[in-house]
């Protein structure tokens, strides 16, 4: 269980993790929008690893589905 007294000490780590996740999501979204879920999931896993992130499988699959469902912008 999380100790509320440690909140101030732990929140910077949580914020850093979130920023890394958002950076990976944006990067993969820019290059893989509208592609198959499996391909996007693999790209996410590779980028998470490069950032040193451990992300639950369910979160990765959900992120891949969201990116896959987006339409590629037409020029």
């Amino acid at each position: 269980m999380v100790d509320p007294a440690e909140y101030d000490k732990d929140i910077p780590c949580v914020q850093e993790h979130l920023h890394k996740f958002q950076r990976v999501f944006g990067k993969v979204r820019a290059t893989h929008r509208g592609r198959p879920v499996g391909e996007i999931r693999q790209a996410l896993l590779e980028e998470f690893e490069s950032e040193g992130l451990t992300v639950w499988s369910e979160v990765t699959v959900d992120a891949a589905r969201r990116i896959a469902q987006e339409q590629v912008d037409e020029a």
Side-chain angles (χ1 to χ4, degrees), residues 17 21 24-25 28 36-49 53-68:
H17 189 92
F21 180 90
V24 167
F25 187 88
V28 173
V37 172
E39 183 180 331
I40 297 168
R41 182 180 171 280
Q42 185 60 40
L44 287 167
L45 290 173
E46 291 170 9
E47 290 297 327
F48 289 147
E49 184 176 343
L53 291 175
T54 300
V55 179
W56 289 349
S57 178
E58 297 85 355
V59 173
T60 303
V61 170
D62 184 59
R65 285 184 184 143
R66 290 175 181 265
I67 294 169

Side-chain angles (χ1 to χ4, degrees), residues 1 3 6 8-12 14 16-17 21 24-26 31-32 37-41 47 49 54 60 64 69 72:
M1 177 160 248
D3 181 359
E6 299 293 317
D8 288 337
K9 183 184 96 188
D10 293 337
I11 199 64
V14 172
E16 180 183 351
H17 189 92
F21 180 90
V24 167
F25 187 88
T31 59
H32 288 73
V37 172
E39 183 180 331
I40 297 168
R41 182 180 171 280
E47 290 297 327
E49 184 176 343
T54 300
T60 303
Q69 292 172 351
V72 177

